[in-house]
Amino acid sequence: MMQTKLKQRIALGVLFFQSGLCFSSWASRIPDIKNSFLFSDSEFGTLLLIRPLGSLLGLPLAGWVVDRYGSKYSAAIGILGFSVSLVLLGIAPAVAWLAVSLLLFGLSSNLTSISINAQALAVQKSYGRTIMSSFHGLWSLAGFCGASVGAAAISLGLERVTHFLLIMGTVFLFVFLSLPHLNPDQETKSKRLSFAKPDPQLLRLGLIAFCGMLCEGCMLDWSGVYFKQVLHAEQGWVTAGFMAYMGSMAAGRFVSDRFANRYGSTRMIQVNGLLICSGLLLAVIVPSFPMAILGFILVGAGTSSVIPLTYTQVGKNQTLSTGLALALVSTIGYFGFLLGPPLIGFIADWLSLRVSFTVVALVGISITLLVLLRAQQNPVKPALPTQR
């Protein structure tokens, strides 16, 4: 039994890693694709909106597919489609082809995301303790690896088609090796309800995910700008805040499960909100290089497990099947990822970037308040009972 659970965990960890590798491989080649089509900044920015649009459209579809066919085969189909759409992006001969490929890339990425997170909940249940964040840590680790492989491919003059074909080859190989060992995911369908009457607790979890993803999106898109415009960092140090944030978030995902199992996922999410708020306020109130680095490290630690632990709570719902519940919460959360970065820009133009980051700090403390409200209305004991 223990050996079976370990095989399931390793197989699923491989899929999380491959998913992160696909996404980061695309991200590493974005400048190359922009230059090859001679896009202006505004043209390319508009085109890039197609990917999150595809992701948003893919969320309810992914929920239905996982609910109908189970997360095991949905995960395999999703990640295979993810890698194929990556190659389609690499060989795109025209803008229309590129646009359709971006739409498929977004659709398949969220089919993959919902499927592997549903798998993670099933594997976590078999372990009897929280292990969700460690899977997300592998996704973050793959982001670093994919960016490094992309940089090496560019320095070696490797064509992006060849680069993407190599990534697709590894995905197909590891999906073939992992599929027999994934959790069979035999969930009853008796819990299915219409999205017309969602569980209020799921809606509240969706709001927590919204706040968490808004903070993530802002840090991903604006941390470098903050260091350049507010701290006036030298060119070589502009990305220091981003790297501090990403490194802290990745490390936090590998250790947060231990704290969640000891203190409970509800309390951990409360602490995460406090870390996000305090880190951003530190960077705003004391706008010096060392304090901003420390602040961004705190924010990275805070955002590291908001989404994984929120998904852990989603798995406890008794109204919707896992796939549909994850799709609902992820759809609400994803709006935060879309709306957060432009909101920062509008506030920065109107007032200042420091004020924008203060607003994000308030969003961070909102996570704590939402969890406190949920805990009062529906007390939750520590994440999952540990099996002895």
Side-chain angles (χ1 to χ4, degrees):
M1 180 63 177
M2 181 60 68
Q3 188 177 16
T4 300
K5 291 193 296 185
L6 180 60
K7 287 181 179 180
Q8 289 176 353
R9 186 172 184 176
I10 293 173
L12 183 56
V14 168
L15 294 193
F16 266 90
F17 189 90
Q18 293 297 313
S19 174
L21 192 63
C22 283
F23 186 84
S24 57
S25 297
W26 146 251
S28 70
R29 288 290 190 157
I30 286 178
D32 183 23
I33 293 174
K34 178 179 180 294
N35 292 335
S36 65
F37 282 91
L38 302 177
F39 286 124
S40 67
D41 289 342
S42 60
E43 289 172 340
F44 196 55
T46 301
L47 185 72
L48 288 179
L49 288 174
I50 296 175
R51 184 192 63 79
L53 176 62
S55 296
L56 195 59
L57 293 174
L59 281 166
L61 174 64
W64 178 83
V65 171
V66 173
D67 183 63
R68 179 69 178 82
Y69 300 104
S71 62
K72 177 178 179 178
Y73 294 104
S74 298
I77 293 170
I79 198 165
L80 291 176
F82 201 10
S83 65
V84 170
S85 63
L86 178 67
V87 172
L88 292 177
L89 287 168
I91 63 176
V95 175
W97 183 303
L98 186 63
V100 172
S101 300
L102 275 171
L103 187 69
L104 294 174
F105 192 73
L107 281 165
S108 58
S109 70
N110 266 352
L111 174 57
T112 302
S113 177
I114 297 299
S115 301
I116 60 179
N117 276 291
Q119 268 285 302
L121 287 173
V123 174
Q124 179 173 259
K125 185 176 180 180
S126 70
Y127 267 79
R129 66 178 187 271
T130 301
I131 59 172
M132 176 69 80
S133 294
S134 64
F135 289 123
H136 286 249
L138 288 170
W139 196 97
S140 297
L141 179 62
F144 282 103
C145 294
S148 301
V149 170
I154 292 170
S155 66
L156 292 173
L158 201 66
E159 292 290 333
R160 64 174 179 269
V161 178
T162 306
H163 174 196
F164 290 168
L165 280 170
L166 289 172
I167 298 299
M168 186 182 76
T170 65
V171 170
F172 270 70
L173 173 63
F174 283 108
V175 168
F176 175 77
L177 294 175
S178 301
L179 186 60
H181 304 293
L182 293 177
N183 189 284
D185 190 27
Q186 299 296 329
E187 182 185 18
T188 177
K189 300 297 194 297
S190 62
K191 296 191 299 180
R192 287 185 298 172
L193 293 177
S194 169
F195 273 108
K197 294 181 179 180
D199 186 340
Q201 296 298 332
L202 285 177
L203 291 178
R204 191 170 289 112
L205 289 171
L207 288 176
I208 294 171
F210 175 90
C211 293
M213 289 190 179
L214 187 149
C215 294
E216 280 192 42
C218 291
M219 293 302 295
L220 291 173
D221 288 3
W222 286 95
S223 55
V225 179
Y226 189 86
F227 265 63
K228 185 176 181 63
Q229 292 186 6
V230 176
L231 303 181
H232 307 291
E234 296 181 6
Q235 188 61 37
W237 292 97
V238 167
T239 60
F242 174 77
M243 295 304 295
Y245 166 76
M246 287 297 294
S248 176
M249 183 171 71
R253 285 179 165 173
F254 284 110
V255 301
S256 63
D257 285 333
R258 178 176 299 178
F259 290 100
N261 285 309
R262 182 169 182 177
Y263 300 108
S265 56
T266 299
R267 186 174 297 178
M268 278 297 299
I269 300 175
Q270 293 173 6
V271 172
N272 287 336
L274 290 173
L275 287 173
I276 293 170
C277 181
S278 59
L280 286 168
L281 288 180
L282 180 62
V284 168
I285 295 171
V286 190
S288 65
F289 191 87
M291 291 298 100
I293 289 289
L294 177 59
F296 280 29
I297 288 174
L298 292 176
V299 178
T303 57
S304 64
S305 56
V306 172
I307 299 304
L309 294 180
T310 299
Y311 286 171
T312 292
Q313 296 293 339
V314 170
K316 299 175 183 178
N317 93 93
Q318 298 296 317
T319 57
L320 294 176
S321 65
T322 300
L324 292 176
L326 281 172
L328 173 62
V329 171
S330 297
T331 300
I332 298 171
Y334 201 76
F335 276 105
F337 204 77
L338 291 178
L339 297 178
L343 176 65
I344 288 293
F346 289 134
I347 297 175
D349 285 342
W350 182 35
L351 297 171
S352 71
L353 195 55
R354 290 174 72 184
V355 174
S356 296
F357 272 55
T358 303
V359 172
V360 181
L362 296 177
V363 174
I365 199 64
S366 297
I367 295 172
T368 300
L369 296 176
L370 283 166
V371 176
L372 284 172
L373 178 62
R374 180 176 183 270
Q376 290 174 357
Q377 295 184 356
N378 185 29
V380 178
K381 296 180 180 180
L384 288 169
T386 303
Q387 289 182 344
R388 299 292 183 182

